[in-house]
Amino acid sequence: MIIGFCGLGLMGTPMARRLLAAGHELRVWNRSPARAAVLGVEGARVCETPRALGEQCDYVLMCVYDAAAVEAVVFGPQGLAEAAGVAVVVDHSSIPPDATRRFAARLEQASGAVWVDAPVSGGTGGADAGTLAIMAGGPRAAFDAVEPVLTAYARRITHMGDTGAGQVAKLCNQTIVATTIAAIAEAVGLARDAGVDPARLAEALGGGWADSTLLQIFVPRMTQPPPPVQAGLDTMLKDLDTVAALARAQGSAVPVAAAAGQSYRLASRRGLGPQDVSQLARLYERADGGRP
């Protein structure tokens, strides 16, 4: 099957590689051409614009940073909305549910294409391994049509409901993930200040009620030299801001997420935003290097 993929960042590149490995013919576009060129060497065909890509594909997948980037790719000059023949656009980006609904209606009016919001969870490691979780919203028929394609990089794919439901589920995911990482960062700082080796927390708490996949992943990442970026701190802050906006709009109470958001914002103000989200733990380091 000929598939289009727009957005070849930390997540998009390994997802695109999984599509190639699954045997699909792949058309790719990226705002920075050099990233697309790498996939071109590996077997994808590079397109100069989203429109040019869309004119060669029934299904177009997209994974970009935020709602502004999604709008530019789809509705900007030479965007996907101008392409003839695209049947389904699958958006793996994490954007507000109300923006998703607006974009879906606008795209259908412009070209007749159907929108499936399908944000992902699992990080770059999950994308590399093909084990991502996808939570999707949109018309069931469109979801059923694209689901076999998504299995190239996802182990679990769940249709959550109408357009925007996938984005709501992703915000629930981010609420749990972001607050848990914030709690782990505080625990690492608490142990260090007490003179206890925080690197041993994962082992000590394993199997108990505090144990989790996040604990086992993030204690090592917080207690070793800064790792390569798998999920950016500012990206998590963006999602927490979206959680807060949704909660305000519908009157939901999210006090834990709101408090965590302030920790991420403070870390961002201290220059940690571009780094891996594990570096939130640096908020709790002492000026003398963390020794009691």
Side-chain angles (χ1 to χ4, degrees), residues 1 15-25 148-149 151-153:
M1 186 176 293
M15 292 162 74
R17 285 191 172 118
R18 296 288 306 186
L19 290 167
L20 284 171
H24 296 294
E25 292 187 45
V149 176
T151 59
Y153 42 77

Side-chain angles (χ1 to χ4, degrees), residues 210-282:
D211 197 11
S212 68
T213 299
L214 290 173
L215 181 79
Q216 296 302 324
I217 291 173
F218 277 93
V219 167
R221 293 178 74 82
M222 291 176 178
T223 55
Q224 296 172 5
V229 177
Q230 291 196 16
L233 192 149
D234 271 347
T235 300
M236 191 68 76
L237 176 58
K238 168 187 72 78
D239 291 345
L240 283 171
D241 284 343
T242 307
V243 169
L246 178 63
R248 280 196 305 272
Q250 60 191 26
S252 300
V254 288
V256 176
Q262 294 308 306
S263 296
Y264 284 87
R265 196 173 312 282
L266 180 59
S268 182
R269 286 174 61 88
R270 292 187 180 178
L272 300 174
Q275 298 190 30
D276 187 77
V277 69
S278 63
Q279 298 310 289
L280 183 67
R282 291 175 59 185

Side-chain angles (χ1 to χ4, degrees), residues 39-278:
L39 270 295
V41 172
E42 297 178 15
R45 181 177 299 177
V46 178
C47 298
E48 293 187 358
T49 66
R51 176 181 177 175
L53 177 146
E55 288 177 345
Q56 302 177 48
C57 311
D58 288 333
Y59 302 154
V60 176
L61 317 174
M62 174 171 49
C63 188
V64 296
Y65 182 69
D66 58 12
V70 170
E71 185 170 24
V73 172
V74 180
F75 302 108
Q78 296 295 308
L80 289 173
E82 298 180 9
V86 176
V88 182
V89 171
V90 179
D91 182 24
H92 290 308
S93 316
S94 295
I95 67 174
D98 59 344
T100 289
R101 297 183 189 106
R102 289 197 309 271
F103 293 159
R106 186 175 168 187
L107 180 65
E108 185 176 15
Q109 184 175 27
S111 70
V114 178
W115 193 286
V116 173
D117 52 299
V120 303
S121 180
T124 56
D128 282 328
T131 59
L132 293 173
I134 295 178
M135 48 233 79
R140 184 74 202 209
F143 169 80
D144 289 342
V146 299
E147 184 179 15
V149 176
L150 307 185
T151 59
Y153 42 77
R155 177 176 293 170
R156 183 181 299 276
I157 307 169
T158 307
H159 185 251
M160 297 297 298
D162 295 336
T163 305
Q167 296 293 353
V168 172
K170 177 61 184 287
L171 293 178
C172 294
N173 180 88
Q174 297 302 79
T175 298
I176 296 168
V177 170
T179 56
T180 302
I181 291 172
I184 294 169
E186 291 185 12
V188 164
L190 185 66
R192 181 182 287 117
D193 287 350
V196 172
D197 182 3
R200 299 194 65 191
L201 286 175
E203 175 189 358
L205 304 183
W209 279 18
D211 197 11
S212 68
T213 299
L214 290 173
L215 181 79
Q216 296 302 324
I217 291 173
F218 277 93
V219 167
R221 293 178 74 82
M222 291 176 178
T223 55
Q224 296 172 5
V229 177
Q230 291 196 16
L233 192 149
D234 271 347
T235 300
M236 191 68 76
L237 176 58
K238 168 187 72 78
D239 291 345
L240 283 171
D241 284 343
T242 307
V243 169
L246 178 63
R248 280 196 305 272
Q250 60 191 26
S252 300
V254 288
V256 176
Q262 294 308 306
S263 296
Y264 284 87
R265 196 173 312 282
L266 180 59
S268 182
R269 286 174 61 88
R270 292 187 180 178
L272 300 174
Q275 298 190 30
D276 187 77
V277 69
S278 63

